[in-house]
Amino acid sequence: MQLESWMWVAFGGFVLAMLLVDLLGFASRREEVPFGRAVVWSVGWTLLGFAFTGFLWAWQGRAPAEEYLAGFLIEKSLSVDNLFIFALIFAYFGVPAAYQRRVIFWGIVGAIVLRGLFILGGAALLDAFHYTVYAFGAFLILTGIRMATHSDIEIHPERNPILRLLERAMPLTRRYHGDRLVAQEDGRRVATPMVAALVLVATFDVVFAVDSIPAIFGVTRDVFIVYAANAFSLLGLQALYFVLAGMMGKFRYLNIGLAVVLAFVGVKMVLSDVYEIPIYVSLGVIVATLAAAIGASLARPVPELEEVAKKLT
């Protein structure tokens, strides 16, 4: 859809205001977030994301609304999977619950910047080089296969090159000094484990952006819809984390569901010049697959992940 400049500015201002409310109004960075508050905020932001579907339908019609809804569901579901990795990072470094919010805050800020850059880059590539659609499609199919066949999540902080460079530049202590990133120990400046956690979260932000942006471009090429779906999926992300931290053991098959969705979108992109799969079919496949994955996960939680969840609460 073609938008006038003032519409982009107005929508961008609205998104920025909502992100500030979400990031700054949710809770104090030093307090442990009550589960009930996290649920209320998470549900509220998710409903706002769904409500934008109705606004688009009234404004632009059914097709753009369905494209947005499909994109929003993909991005929100990928965000859930990403938050599990955040949880594993916190468990690895033993980040106290009261300090986790600061890392998540900057992780979301990083995700906003990276997704914005990837959206602009992806749109430019698709406009300039049509064959990019096949590369994106093949990448999503391979990502789906990898996600389905590798159920164990490994973070390997010791292999992270950025973390290695950090340790060379500044000693890394194993002690926490509140939620400070840098502290003084024995007369020298040291980086706390909070920095290490932030480095890993930033690293995975890049990986998340690489996965999520091609996925939504497989549903729509409209840059505004891509931007809107990403913006609304990021709203409430920190509240959603604190909801999921107590429910990690209940999503055993989410990876499988996401793998199927990514592979399906990849196939859709590869076949786009031969047969254009209708958006309502795509939406139906996405909703049915995620619903089946969540239903199966609730029926058979993973005991090992429940142990990780206990460390985070």
Coordinates of all heavy atoms in Angstrom, one line a residue, residues 183-260:
A183 N 31.9 -2.7 37.3 CA 32.2 -2.5 38.8 C 33.7 -2.4 39.1 O 34.5 -2.7 38.2 CB 31.5 -3.6 39.6
Q184 N 34.0 -2.1 40.3 CA 35.4 -2.0 40.7 C 35.6 -3.2 41.7 O 34.9 -3.5 42.6 CB 35.6 -0.7 41.5 CG 35.6 0.5 40.7 CD 36.9 0.7 39.9 OE1 37.9 0.1 40.2 NE2 36.9 1.6 38.9
E185 N 36.7 -4.0 41.4 CA 37.1 -5.1 42.2 C 38.6 -5.0 42.3 O 39.3 -5.0 41.3 CB 36.7 -6.4 41.6 CG 35.2 -6.8 41.8 CD 34.9 -8.2 41.4 OE1 35.9 -9.0 41.0 OE2 33.8 -8.6 41.5
D186 N 39.1 -4.9 43.6 CA 40.5 -4.9 43.9 C 41.2 -3.7 43.1 O 42.3 -3.9 42.5 CB 41.2 -6.2 43.5 CG 40.6 -7.4 44.3 OD1 40.3 -7.1 45.5 OD2 40.5 -8.5 43.8
G187 N 40.5 -2.6 43.0 CA 41.1 -1.4 42.4 C 41.1 -1.4 40.9 O 41.7 -0.6 40.2
R188 N 40.4 -2.4 40.2 CA 40.4 -2.4 38.8 C 38.9 -2.5 38.3 O 38.1 -3.0 39.0 CB 41.2 -3.5 38.2 CG 40.7 -4.9 38.6 CD 41.5 -6.0 37.9 NE 40.9 -7.3 38.3 CZ 41.3 -8.4 37.6 NH1 42.2 -8.4 36.7 NH2 40.7 -9.6 38.0
R189 N 38.7 -2.0 37.1 CA 37.3 -2.1 36.5 C 37.1 -3.4 35.9 O 38.0 -3.9 35.2 CB 37.2 -1.0 35.4 CG 37.1 0.4 36.0 CD 37.2 1.5 34.9 NE 36.0 1.4 34.1 CZ 34.9 2.0 34.3 NH1 34.7 2.7 35.4 NH2 33.9 1.9 33.4
V190 N 36.0 -4.0 36.2 CA 35.7 -5.4 35.7 C 34.2 -5.3 35.1 O 33.4 -4.6 35.6 CB 35.8 -6.5 36.8 CG1 37.2 -6.6 37.2 CG2 34.9 -6.2 37.9
A191 N 34.0 -6.2 34.1 CA 32.7 -6.4 33.6 C 32.0 -7.4 34.4 O 32.5 -8.5 34.7 CB 32.8 -6.8 32.1
T192 N 30.7 -7.2 34.7 CA 29.9 -8.2 35.5 C 29.3 -9.2 34.6 O 29.3 -9.0 33.4 CB 28.8 -7.5 36.3 OG1 27.8 -7.0 35.4 CG2 29.4 -6.3 37.1
P193 N 28.7 -10.3 35.1 CA 28.0 -11.2 34.3 C 26.9 -10.6 33.5 O 26.4 -11.2 32.5 CB 27.6 -12.3 35.3 CG 28.5 -12.2 36.4 CD 28.9 -10.8 36.5
M194 N 26.4 -9.5 34.0 CA 25.3 -8.8 33.2 C 25.8 -8.5 31.8 O 25.0 -8.5 30.8 CB 24.9 -7.5 33.9 CG 24.2 -7.8 35.3 SD 22.5 -8.2 35.1 CE 21.7 -6.7 34.6
V195 N 27.0 -8.1 31.7 CA 27.6 -7.7 30.3 C 27.6 -9.0 29.5 O 27.3 -8.9 28.3 CB 29.0 -7.1 30.5 CG1 29.6 -6.9 29.1 CG2 28.9 -5.8 31.2
A196 N 28.1 -10.1 30.1 CA 28.2 -11.3 29.3 C 26.8 -11.7 28.8 O 26.6 -12.2 27.6 CB 28.8 -12.4 30.1
A197 N 25.8 -11.6 29.6 CA 24.4 -11.9 29.2 C 23.9 -11.0 28.1 O 23.3 -11.5 27.2 CB 23.5 -11.9 30.4
L198 N 24.2 -9.7 28.2 CA 23.8 -8.8 27.2 C 24.5 -9.1 25.9 O 23.9 -9.0 24.8 CB 24.2 -7.4 27.6 CG 23.2 -6.5 28.4 CD1 23.8 -5.2 28.9 CD2 22.0 -6.3 27.5
V199 N 25.8 -9.5 25.9 CA 26.5 -9.8 24.7 C 25.8 -11.0 24.0 O 25.6 -11.0 22.8 CB 28.0 -10.1 25.0 CG1 28.6 -10.8 23.8 CG2 28.7 -8.9 25.4
L200 N 25.5 -12.0 24.7 CA 24.8 -13.2 24.1 C 23.4 -12.8 23.6 O 23.0 -13.3 22.5 CB 24.7 -14.3 25.1 CG 26.0 -15.2 25.3 CD1 25.7 -16.3 26.2 CD2 26.5 -15.7 24.0
V201 N 22.7 -12.0 24.3 CA 21.4 -11.6 23.9 C 21.5 -10.8 22.6 O 20.7 -11.0 21.6 CB 20.7 -10.8 25.0 CG1 19.5 -10.0 24.4 CG2 20.2 -11.6 26.1
A202 N 22.5 -9.9 22.5 CA 22.7 -9.2 21.3 C 23.1 -10.1 20.1 O 22.6 -9.9 19.0 CB 23.8 -8.1 21.5
T203 N 23.9 -11.1 20.4 CA 24.3 -12.0 19.3 C 23.1 -12.8 18.8 O 22.9 -12.9 17.6 CB 25.3 -13.1 19.9 OG1 26.4 -12.4 20.4 CG2 25.7 -14.1 18.8
F204 N 22.2 -13.2 19.7 CA 21.0 -13.9 19.2 C 20.0 -13.0 18.6 O 19.2 -13.4 17.8 CB 20.4 -14.7 20.4 CG 21.0 -16.0 20.7 CD1 21.9 -16.1 21.8 CD2 20.9 -17.1 19.8 CE1 22.5 -17.3 22.0 CE2 21.5 -18.3 20.1 CZ 22.3 -18.4 21.2
D205 N 20.0 -11.7 19.0 CA 19.2 -10.7 18.3 C 19.5 -10.7 16.8 O 18.5 -10.6 15.9 CB 19.4 -9.3 18.8 CG 18.5 -9.0 20.0 OD1 17.5 -9.7 20.2 OD2 18.8 -8.0 20.7
V206 N 20.7 -10.8 16.4 CA 21.1 -10.8 15.0 C 20.5 -12.1 14.3 O 20.0 -12.0 13.2 CB 22.6 -10.8 14.8 CG1 23.0 -11.0 13.4 CG2 23.2 -9.5 15.4
V207 N 20.7 -13.2 15.0 CA 20.2 -14.5 14.5 C 18.7 -14.4 14.3 O 18.1 -14.9 13.3 CB 20.6 -15.7 15.4 CG1 20.0 -17.0 14.9 CG2 22.1 -15.8 15.5
F208 N 18.0 -13.9 15.3 CA 16.5 -13.8 15.3 C 16.1 -12.9 14.1 O 15.1 -13.2 13.4 CB 16.0 -13.1 16.6 CG 16.4 -13.9 17.8 CD1 16.3 -13.3 19.1 CD2 16.7 -15.3 17.7 CE1 16.7 -14.0 20.2 CE2 17.0 -16.0 18.9 CZ 17.0 -15.3 20.1
A209 N 16.8 -11.8 13.9 CA 16.4 -10.9 12.8 C 16.6 -11.6 11.4 O 15.8 -11.5 10.5 CB 17.2 -9.6 12.8
V210 N 17.7 -12.4 11.3 CA 17.9 -13.1 10.1 C 16.8 -14.1 9.8 O 16.5 -14.3 8.6 CB 19.3 -13.8 10.1 CG1 19.5 -14.7 8.9 CG2 20.4 -12.7 10.1
D211 N 16.3 -14.7 10.8 CA 15.2 -15.7 10.7 C 13.9 -15.1 10.4 O 13.1 -15.5 9.5 CB 15.1 -16.6 11.9 CG 16.2 -17.7 12.0 OD1 16.9 -17.9 10.9 OD2 16.4 -18.3 13.0
S212 N 13.6 -14.0 11.2 CA 12.2 -13.5 11.2 C 11.8 -12.7 9.9 O 10.7 -12.7 9.4 CB 11.9 -12.7 12.4 OG 12.7 -11.5 12.5
I213 N 12.8 -11.8 9.5 CA 12.4 -10.9 8.4 C 12.2 -11.7 7.1 O 11.1 -11.4 6.4 CB 13.5 -9.9 8.2 CG1 13.7 -9.0 9.5 CG2 13.2 -9.0 7.0 CD1 12.4 -8.4 10.0
P214 N 13.0 -12.6 6.7 CA 12.6 -13.4 5.5 C 11.3 -14.1 5.6 O 10.5 -14.3 4.6 CB 13.8 -14.4 5.3 CG 14.9 -13.8 6.0 CD 14.3 -13.0 7.1
A215 N 11.0 -14.6 6.8 CA 9.7 -15.3 7.1 C 8.5 -14.4 6.7 O 7.5 -14.8 6.1 CB 9.6 -15.8 8.5
I216 N 8.5 -13.2 7.2 CA 7.4 -12.3 7.0 C 7.3 -11.8 5.5 O 6.2 -11.6 5.0 CB 7.3 -11.1 8.0 CG1 5.9 -10.4 7.9 CG2 8.4 -10.1 7.7 CD1 5.7 -9.4 9.0
F217 N 8.5 -11.6 4.9 CA 8.5 -11.3 3.5 C 7.9 -12.4 2.6 O 7.5 -12.2 1.5 CB 9.9 -10.9 3.0 CG 10.2 -9.5 3.2 CD1 11.3 -9.1 4.0 CD2 9.5 -8.5 2.6 CE1 11.6 -7.7 4.2 CE2 9.8 -7.1 2.8 CZ 10.9 -6.8 3.6
G218 N 7.9 -13.6 3.1 CA 7.2 -14.7 2.4 C 5.7 -14.6 2.5 O 5.0 -15.2 1.7
V219 N 5.2 -13.8 3.4 CA 3.7 -13.6 3.5 C 3.3 -12.3 2.8 O 2.2 -12.3 2.2 CB 3.3 -13.5 5.0 CG1 1.9 -13.2 5.2 CG2 3.6 -14.8 5.7
T220 N 4.1 -11.3 2.8 CA 3.7 -10.0 2.2 C 5.0 -9.3 1.8 O 6.0 -9.4 2.4 CB 2.9 -9.1 3.1 OG1 2.6 -7.9 2.5 CG2 3.6 -8.8 4.4
R221 N 4.9 -8.5 0.7 CA 6.0 -7.7 0.3 C 5.7 -6.2 0.7 O 6.5 -5.3 0.3 CB 6.2 -7.8 -1.2 CG 6.3 -9.2 -1.8 CD 7.7 -9.7 -1.4 NE 7.7 -11.1 -1.8 CZ 8.0 -11.5 -3.0 NH1 8.2 -10.6 -4.0 NH2 8.1 -12.8 -3.3
D222 N 4.6 -5.9 1.3 CA 4.2 -4.6 1.7 C 5.1 -4.2 2.9 O 4.9 -4.7 4.0 CB 2.7 -4.5 2.0 CG 2.3 -3.1 2.2 OD1 2.9 -2.3 2.9 OD2 1.3 -2.7 1.5
V223 N 5.9 -3.2 2.7 CA 6.9 -2.8 3.8 C 6.1 -2.3 5.0 O 6.5 -2.5 6.1 CB 7.9 -1.7 3.2 CG1 8.8 -1.2 4.3 CG2 8.7 -2.3 2.1
F224 N 5.0 -1.6 4.8 CA 4.3 -1.1 5.9 C 3.7 -2.2 6.8 O 3.8 -2.2 8.0 CB 3.1 -0.2 5.5 CG 2.2 0.3 6.6 CD1 2.7 1.3 7.5 CD2 1.0 -0.3 6.8 CE1 1.9 1.7 8.6 CE2 0.2 0.1 7.9 CZ 0.6 1.1 8.8
I225 N 3.2 -3.2 6.1 CA 2.6 -4.4 6.8 C 3.7 -5.1 7.6 O 3.6 -5.6 8.7 CB 1.9 -5.3 5.9 CG1 0.6 -4.6 5.3 CG2 1.5 -6.6 6.6 CD1 -0.2 -5.4 4.3
V226 N 4.9 -5.3 6.9 CA 6.0 -5.9 7.5 C 6.4 -5.2 8.8 O 6.7 -5.7 9.8 CB 7.2 -6.0 6.6 CG1 8.5 -6.5 7.3 CG2 6.9 -7.0 5.4
Y227 N 6.5 -3.8 8.6 CA 6.9 -3.0 9.7 C 5.9 -3.1 10.9 O 6.3 -3.2 12.1 CB 7.1 -1.6 9.2 CG 7.3 -0.5 10.3 CD1 8.5 -0.5 11.1 CD2 6.4 0.5 10.5 CE1 8.7 0.5 12.0 CE2 6.5 1.4 11.5 CZ 7.7 1.4 12.3 OH 7.9 2.4 13.2
A228 N 4.6 -3.0 10.5 CA 3.6 -3.0 11.6 C 3.6 -4.3 12.3 O 3.4 -4.3 13.5 CB 2.2 -2.7 10.9
A229 N 3.7 -5.4 11.6 CA 3.6 -6.7 12.2 C 4.8 -6.9 13.2 O 4.7 -7.4 14.3 CB 3.6 -7.8 11.2
N230 N 6.0 -6.4 12.8 CA 7.1 -6.5 13.7 C 7.0 -5.6 14.9 O 7.3 -6.0 16.0 CB 8.4 -6.1 12.9 CG 9.0 -7.3 12.2 OD1 9.8 -8.1 12.8 ND2 8.7 -7.6 11.0
A231 N 6.5 -4.4 14.6 CA 6.3 -3.5 15.7 C 5.4 -4.0 16.8 O 5.7 -4.0 18.0 CB 5.8 -2.1 15.2
F232 N 4.2 -4.5 16.4 CA 3.2 -5.0 17.3 C 3.7 -6.3 18.0 O 3.3 -6.6 19.1 CB 1.9 -5.2 16.7 CG 1.1 -3.9 16.5 CD1 1.0 -3.3 15.3 CD2 0.5 -3.3 17.6 CE1 0.3 -2.1 15.1 CE2 -0.2 -2.1 17.5 CZ -0.3 -1.5 16.2
S233 N 4.5 -7.1 17.3 CA 5.0 -8.3 17.9 C 6.0 -8.0 19.0 O 6.2 -8.8 19.9 CB 5.7 -9.2 16.8 OG 6.9 -8.7 16.4
L234 N 6.7 -6.9 18.9 CA 7.7 -6.5 19.9 C 7.1 -5.9 21.1 O 7.7 -5.9 22.2 CB 8.8 -5.6 19.3 CG 9.8 -6.2 18.3 CD1 10.6 -5.2 17.6 CD2 10.6 -7.2 19.0
L235 N 5.9 -5.3 21.0 CA 5.2 -4.7 22.1 C 4.8 -5.8 23.1 O 4.3 -6.8 22.7 CB 4.0 -4.0 21.7 CG 4.2 -2.7 20.9 CD1 2.8 -2.1 20.4 CD2 4.8 -1.6 21.8
G236 N 5.2 -5.6 24.4 CA 4.8 -6.6 25.4 C 5.8 -7.7 25.5 O 5.5 -8.7 26.2
L237 N 6.9 -7.6 24.8 CA 7.8 -8.8 24.8 C 8.4 -9.1 26.1 O 8.6 -10.2 26.5 CB 9.0 -8.5 23.8 CG 9.7 -9.7 23.2 CD1 8.7 -10.7 22.5 CD2 10.8 -9.3 22.2
Q238 N 8.8 -8.0 26.9 CA 9.3 -8.2 28.2 C 8.3 -8.8 29.2 O 8.6 -9.7 30.0 CB 10.0 -7.0 28.8 CG 9.0 -5.8 29.0 CD 9.7 -4.7 29.7 OE1 10.7 -4.8 30.4 NE2 9.2 -3.4 29.5
A239 N 7.1 -8.4 29.1 CA 6.0 -8.9 29.9 C 5.8 -10.4 29.6 O 5.7 -11.3 30.4 CB 4.7 -8.2 29.8
L240 N 5.8 -10.7 28.3 CA 5.7 -12.1 27.8 C 6.8 -13.0 28.3 O 6.5 -14.1 28.7 CB 5.6 -12.1 26.3 CG 5.4 -13.5 25.6 CD1 4.1 -14.1 26.1 CD2 5.5 -13.4 24.1
Y241 N 8.0 -12.4 28.4 CA 9.1 -13.2 29.0 C 8.8 -13.7 30.4 O 9.0 -14.8 30.8 CB 10.4 -12.4 29.0 CG 11.5 -13.1 29.8 CD1 12.2 -14.2 29.2 CD2 11.7 -12.8 31.1 CE1 13.1 -14.9 30.0 CE2 12.7 -13.4 31.8 CZ 13.4 -14.5 31.3 OH 14.3 -15.2 32.0
F242 N 8.3 -12.8 31.2 CA 8.1 -13.1 32.6 C 6.9 -14.0 32.8 O 6.7 -14.7 33.8 CB 7.9 -11.8 33.5 CG 9.2 -11.1 33.7 CD1 9.5 -9.9 32.9 CD2 10.2 -11.6 34.6 CE1 10.7 -9.3 33.1 CE2 11.4 -10.9 34.7 CZ 11.7 -9.8 34.0
V243 N 6.0 -14.0 31.8 CA 4.9 -15.0 31.8 C 5.5 -16.4 31.5 O 5.2 -17.4 32.1 CB 3.8 -14.6 30.8 CG1 2.8 -15.8 30.7 CG2 3.1 -13.3 31.2
L244 N 6.3 -16.4 30.4 CA 6.8 -17.7 29.9 C 7.9 -18.3 30.9 O 8.1 -19.5 30.9 CB 7.4 -17.5 28.6 CG 6.5 -17.2 27.4 CD1 7.2 -16.9 26.1 CD2 5.4 -18.3 27.3
A245 N 8.5 -17.4 31.7 CA 9.6 -17.9 32.6 C 9.0 -18.9 33.6 O 9.7 -19.8 34.0 CB 10.2 -16.8 33.4
G246 N 7.7 -18.8 33.9 CA 7.1 -19.7 34.8 C 6.3 -20.8 34.1 O 5.7 -21.7 34.7
M247 N 6.4 -20.8 32.7 CA 5.7 -21.8 31.9 C 6.5 -22.5 30.9 O 6.0 -23.1 30.0 CB 4.5 -21.1 31.2 CG 3.5 -20.4 32.1 SD 2.3 -19.5 31.2 CE 1.5 -20.8 30.3
M248 N 7.8 -22.5 31.1 CA 8.7 -23.0 30.0 C 8.5 -24.5 29.7 O 8.6 -24.9 28.6 CB 10.2 -22.8 30.4 CG 10.7 -21.4 30.3 SD 12.4 -21.3 30.6 CE 13.1 -22.2 29.2
G249 N 8.2 -25.2 30.8 CA 8.0 -26.7 30.6 C 6.7 -27.1 29.8 O 6.5 -28.2 29.6
K250 N 5.9 -26.1 29.4 CA 4.7 -26.4 28.8 C 4.7 -26.2 27.3 O 3.6 -26.3 26.6 CB 3.6 -25.5 29.4 CG 3.3 -25.7 30.9 CD 2.2 -24.9 31.4 CE 2.0 -25.1 32.9 NZ 1.6 -26.4 33.2
F251 N 5.8 -26.0 26.7 CA 5.9 -25.7 25.2 C 6.9 -26.6 24.5 O 7.8 -26.2 23.9 CB 6.2 -24.2 25.0 CG 5.2 -23.3 25.4 CD1 5.2 -22.8 26.7 CD2 4.2 -22.9 24.5 CE1 4.2 -21.9 27.1 CE2 3.2 -22.0 24.9 CZ 3.2 -21.5 26.2
R252 N 6.6 -27.9 24.7 CA 7.5 -28.9 24.2 C 7.6 -28.9 22.7 O 8.7 -29.2 22.1 CB 7.0 -30.3 24.7 CG 7.9 -31.5 24.2 CD 7.3 -32.8 24.8 NE 8.2 -33.9 24.6 CZ 8.0 -35.1 25.1 NH1 7.0 -35.3 25.8 NH2 8.9 -36.1 24.9
Y253 N 6.5 -28.7 22.0 CA 6.5 -28.9 20.5 C 6.4 -27.6 19.8 O 6.1 -27.6 18.6 CB 5.3 -29.8 20.1 CG 5.3 -31.2 20.7 CD1 4.5 -31.6 21.7 CD2 6.3 -32.1 20.2 CE1 4.6 -32.8 22.3 CE2 6.3 -33.3 20.7 CZ 5.5 -33.7 21.8 OH 5.6 -35.0 22.3
L254 N 6.7 -26.5 20.4 CA 6.6 -25.2 19.8 C 7.7 -25.1 18.6 O 7.4 -24.6 17.6 CB 6.8 -24.0 20.8 CG 6.8 -22.6 20.2 CD1 5.4 -22.4 19.5 CD2 7.1 -21.6 21.2
N255 N 8.9 -25.6 18.9 CA 9.9 -25.6 17.9 C 9.4 -26.3 16.6 O 9.7 -25.9 15.5 CB 11.2 -26.3 18.4 CG 12.0 -25.2 19.1 OD1 11.7 -24.1 19.2 ND2 13.1 -25.7 19.7
I256 N 8.8 -27.5 16.8 CA 8.3 -28.2 15.6 C 7.3 -27.4 14.9 O 7.3 -27.4 13.6 CB 7.7 -29.6 16.1 CG1 8.7 -30.4 16.9 CG2 7.2 -30.4 14.9 CD1 9.9 -30.8 16.1
G257 N 6.3 -26.8 15.6 CA 5.3 -26.0 14.9 C 5.9 -24.8 14.1 O 5.6 -24.6 13.0
L258 N 6.9 -24.1 14.8 CA 7.6 -23.1 14.1 C 8.4 -23.5 12.9 O 8.4 -22.9 11.8 CB 8.5 -22.3 15.1 CG 7.8 -21.5 16.1 CD1 8.8 -20.9 17.1 CD2 7.1 -20.3 15.5
A259 N 9.0 -24.7 13.0 CA 9.7 -25.3 11.9 C 8.8 -25.6 10.7 O 9.2 -25.3 9.5 CB 10.4 -26.6 12.3
V260 N 7.6 -26.1 11.0 CA 6.6 -26.3 9.9 C 6.2 -25.0 9.2 O 6.1 -24.9 8.0 CB 5.4 -27.1 10.4 CG1 4.3 -27.2 9.4 CG2 5.8 -28.5 10.9

